Amino acid sequence: MFGLIDGNNFYVSCERAFDPTLAGKPIIVLSNNDGCAIARSAEAKALGVKMGEVWHLSKRRPEFRGIIAKSSNYALYGDMSRRVYEVLTERFNRVEPYSIDEMFLGLTEFARTDYCRRVRDQVRRVTKIPTCVGIGPTKTLAKLANRRAKKVVAMEGVCDFSNDDARRQAFHEMPIDEIWGIGGASQAKLNNLGIFTVEEFAALPSASVRELMTVTGQRTHAELNGVSCMPLTMAPGQRKTVSVTRMFGRPVETWEDMREALATHAARAAEKTRKHDLVATAMQVFFHTSPHAPEPFFNAQRSFEIEPTNDSFAIIRHAVTAGRSMWRPGLRYQKAGIILPDLHLAADAPRDLLPTRDPERSEKLMATLDGLNSRFGRGTIRPGGIRPKTAWGTRANNKSPAYTTKLADLMVVHAL
Amino acid sequence: MGERAYRGDDTTGFQSPAQDHIEAVPDLAELLELRRPQRFAVRVKGDGLKKRGIHSGDILVVNTDAEPRTGKVCVAFVHGDVVLAVLTEKDGRWWLEPSNHAPQPVADDTEVWAMIAALVRTDV
């Protein structure tokens, strides 16, 4: 049996955990660069803030006046996610962290509604994060039960679909877009055929689902009917790409600023590559102006192969050289990015017969760089040409402290 | 930091007799159980609990999973403030006694956030 536990408005709950002034107020958390709403408290949802709402366009609307918009604080959310995971591993043998705010659980036959309700209380007490739990014989059913637990207050945060009768009744009322993996095009397709509820979808013959929605849809359909097709996966699959792309805090107009942005993104991409013991064999570099600006849109992009490496200096050099060759002055650039699209395990990477760098020396230098940065904080040691604070840096105007990971940022407790 | 990491083991001339016995410095994060999900470090501001040995600037390591006990110091949310208070039980009800004002009953807009577990002071 599977469980799915997820944090209610997770990012908002992380903010509220350390700031009692946020209780009961409409709160949203904005994406990188303070762009769009990516988490909303119940109060903010009630005021009509949509997921993905572009905040700088909407914030002046009179009904949104009282909303508190926080910049995203991923150092905090990541650590809180870890804490939730650790509490769960004390209560369940198998926990799969599926995303930062949802974990699949392997449930024994004794762990049902009451047990999950106690775990939910414990997660709340220990981490301050309110959650909901869905239970079902497949991942898709556990996820669907979780949706229902969120919606139906009387369930007190836990919905159990392990029993066939219990779920049949709910299926009748639930629209198909509540199903994990169904939305957009597939929803429209099904609606056109007069299929609106989970009950109607589950009753379709398997073969016609395959015809309509390929194998993925067929798998979803089987899981809804209680046939488990997706086991718990305990380790993430090997990463195949790394991308570091950012909107600028304000438009970049000089090559010096662009060069530095590309170097910073390249250094971060190289660091991520090393973290997974991978090497890059190809690279994409791009930057573009705003598609919404009155001036014509300009988009520069290059893809090319590189000698297999995860050396920050090599990757920076490639990025800057490619960027320079595409640079066009006199424009206002809005975004730049580095993508390493073809990663291989360092151990089985193709070795050049005549490498242009001493691989052993590079490996040692990079290990030192990563060691210092992990010990003293990201950015302690930076390849030349990357300044600690920059004009183009990402906007984060209302970011809370890194309460749980930085000594300078600890929650202050008043003893007056 | 030198040009390379030397930990008492990897000498250039005479082989270090300590090379198979190298240990790291004591890990205070381990002592304080900082990696456990219920442990949080917080910073004290104000000397109101000096009589309990807690000074302004101290780091307290708190436990969000500990049972509340009468007479113990806790971190609490009280009307939107984060405060340090002594927790007491009287006639089956829990009260918070912040040093500066009257005891508050633990009720809807007050929350016991964590109990104090350890104290770190670096300016002794």
Side-chain angles (χ1 to χ4, degrees):
Chain A
M1 197 63 64
F2 295 90
L4 178 75
I5 184 165
D6 77 337
N8 303 346
N9 320 321
F10 183 68
Y11 297 166
V12 170
S13 298
C14 290
E15 298 289 343
R16 281 180 170 165
F18 302 91
D19 185 350
T21 65
L22 301 180
K25 295 199 182 132
I27 314 291
I28 61 172
V29 173
L30 301 175
S31 59
N32 271 330
N33 213 26
D34 291 350
C36 315
I38 50 171
R40 305 158 296 157
S41 72
E43 298 81 0
K45 287 176 192 171
L47 288 175
V49 182
K50 296 276 174 297
M51 201 63 173
E53 185 105 39
V54 180
W55 193 239
H56 75 96
L57 297 178
S58 309
K59 65 181 170 195
R60 278 176 203 88
R61 280 166 53 182
E63 67 270 32
F64 292 170
R65 272 289 153 70
I67 292 176
I68 300 170
K70 305 290 291 184
S71 305
S72 40
N73 182 351
Y74 289 111
L76 176 67
Y77 310 152
D79 185 60
M80 295 303 279
S81 178
R82 171 192 69 87
R83 288 174 190 265
V84 171
Y85 174 80
E86 306 246 329
V87 172
L88 295 173
T89 53
E90 286 167 15
R91 297 303 210 102
F92 302 96
N93 286 332
R94 310 192 69 204
V95 181
E96 174 189 340
Y98 178 75
S99 69
I100 196 166
D101 65 348
E102 332 165 72
M103 322 237 161
F104 281 109
L105 313 165
L107 303 185
T108 61
E109 66 182 290
F110 304 105
R112 289 292 183 272
T113 307
D114 289 344
Y115 187 83
C116 288
R117 219 167 254 154
R118 284 200 299 277
V119 172
R120 179 175 178 259
D121 290 345
Q122 194 195 0
V123 169
R124 176 78 204 244
R125 187 173 66 249
V126 172
T127 68
K128 315 301 174 189
I129 303 293
T131 57
C132 285
V133 186
I135 300 169
T138 69
K139 278 186 169 177
T140 304
L141 284 168
K143 188 112 177 160
L144 196 65
N146 177 281
R147 289 291 287 262
R148 192 151 177 86
K150 279 233 171 85
K151 215 162 248 182
V152 184
V153 181
M155 296 190 150
E156 291 172 57
V158 180
C159 172
D160 184 354
F161 274 176
S162 62
N163 176 298
D164 200 44
D165 295 335
R167 57 179 188 261
R168 292 288 151 203
Q169 195 145 20
F171 281 9
H172 183 69
E173 302 166 9
M174 298 181 83
I176 47 171
D177 64 331
E178 305 238 313
I179 302 168
W180 190 23
I182 293 190
S186 46
Q187 185 192 358
K189 230 186 257 180
L190 290 165
N191 284 353
N192 275 340
L193 293 169
I195 292 154
F196 293 94
T197 67
V198 179
E199 182 183 43
E200 288 159 350
F201 178 66
L204 288 175
S206 178
S208 43
V209 174
R210 180 171 187 150
E211 227 163 86
L212 271 170
M213 305 163 58
T214 76
V215 189
T216 326
Q218 193 182 27
R219 194 176 61 184
T220 299
H221 180 261
E223 285 231 325
L224 277 178
N225 284 301
V227 181
S228 178
C229 309
M230 291 181 275
L232 286 182
T233 34
M234 306 317 283
Q238 192 205 308
R239 257 191 120 106
K240 293 196 181 66
T241 68
V242 155
S243 72
V244 180
T245 68
R246 299 274 186 277
M247 302 268 273
F248 296 124
R250 60 175 173 72
V252 159
E253 297 176 61
T254 67
W255 167 245
E256 286 65 40
D257 279 349
M258 180 61 80
R259 188 190 62 78
E260 192 172 327
L262 291 174
T264 307
H265 296 355
R268 180 77 189 113
E271 195 183 310
K272 284 190 185 184
T273 309
R274 287 196 296 278
K275 192 176 164 209
H276 300 281
D277 290 317
L278 300 169
V279 292
T281 61
M283 183 182 240
Q284 275 171 34
V285 180
F286 75 85
F287 42 80
H288 61 71
T289 60
S290 166
H292 308 296
E295 306 96 59
F297 179 62
F298 175 73
N299 179 27
Q301 185 174 339
R302 269 194 66 193
S303 303
F304 49 94
E305 290 187 1
I306 59 175
E307 193 179 300
T309 188
N310 56 23
D311 183 301
S312 291
F313 298 102
I315 289 174
I316 289 170
R317 203 172 53 242
H318 287 304
V320 170
T321 309
R324 180 75 236 191
S325 73
M326 302 186 289
W327 174 253
R328 191 189 286 183
L331 299 174
R332 291 158 58 79
Y333 293 96
Q334 183 204 36
K335 188 175 185 176
I338 304 290
I339 299 167
L340 303 174
D342 191 18
L343 302 177
H344 294 265
L345 276 178
D348 25 284
R351 292 255 175 210
D352 272 291
L353 276 179
L354 297 166
T356 52
R357 277 175 318 282
D358 176 354
E360 242 178 70
R361 188 172 163 266
S362 156
E363 203 174 302
K364 268 193 187 157
L365 186 59
M366 289 303 119
T368 310
L369 188 84
D370 291 341
L372 289 172
N373 282 338
S374 87
R375 187 151 163 221
F376 299 109
R378 177 166 298 147
T380 302
I381 304 284
R382 299 175 301 274
I386 300 179
R387 281 174 288 165
K389 274 236 165 90
T390 54
W392 50 266
T394 298
R395 203 174 332 171
N397 286 333
N398 193 19
K399 188 167 164 179
S400 50
Y403 294 111
T404 63
T405 52
K406 274 204 184 71
L407 283 177
D409 280 9
L410 301 179
M411 178 167 79
V412 172
V413 186
H414 294 272
L416 298 170
Chain B
M1 183 157 301
E3 275 180 54
R4 61 166 196 160
Y6 173 69
R7 299 171 308 159
D9 50 349
D10 201 7
T11 45
T12 61
F14 286 102
Q15 207 176 67
S16 169
Q19 64 184 355
D20 296 332
H21 306 272
I22 301 303
E23 292 182 1
V25 295
D27 184 350
L28 289 182
E30 185 144 350
L31 175 76
L32 298 167
E33 300 180 31
L34 285 183
R35 295 179 188 92
R36 300 191 69 195
Q38 64 270 49
R39 292 279 180 138
F40 293 85
V42 302
R43 180 80 67 176
V44 178
K45 194 170 179 186
D47 278 322
L49 275 160
K50 221 166 183 171
K51 60 181 186 301
R52 300 290 296 247
I54 298 169
H55 299 185
S56 194
D58 286 352
I59 293 172
L60 296 174
V61 177
V62 305
N63 182 350
T64 53
D65 205 20
E67 289 288 318
R69 288 244 195 92
T70 190
K72 293 274 184 193
V73 179
C74 70
V75 172
F77 285 179
V78 179
H79 312 308
D81 293 323
V82 186
V83 301
L84 213 51
V86 178
L87 198 60
T88 50
E89 193 185 5
K90 272 179 214 146
D91 313 321
R93 287 194 68 190
W94 288 95
W95 296 78
L96 291 164
E97 293 178 24
S99 51
N100 63 330
H101 45 81
Q104 308 263 338
V106 176
D108 278 351
D109 53 353
T110 58
E111 176 196 341
V112 176
W113 197 86
M115 304 303 291
I116 308 302
L119 182 149
V120 179
R121 185 172 302 148
T122 53
D123 61 344
V124 182

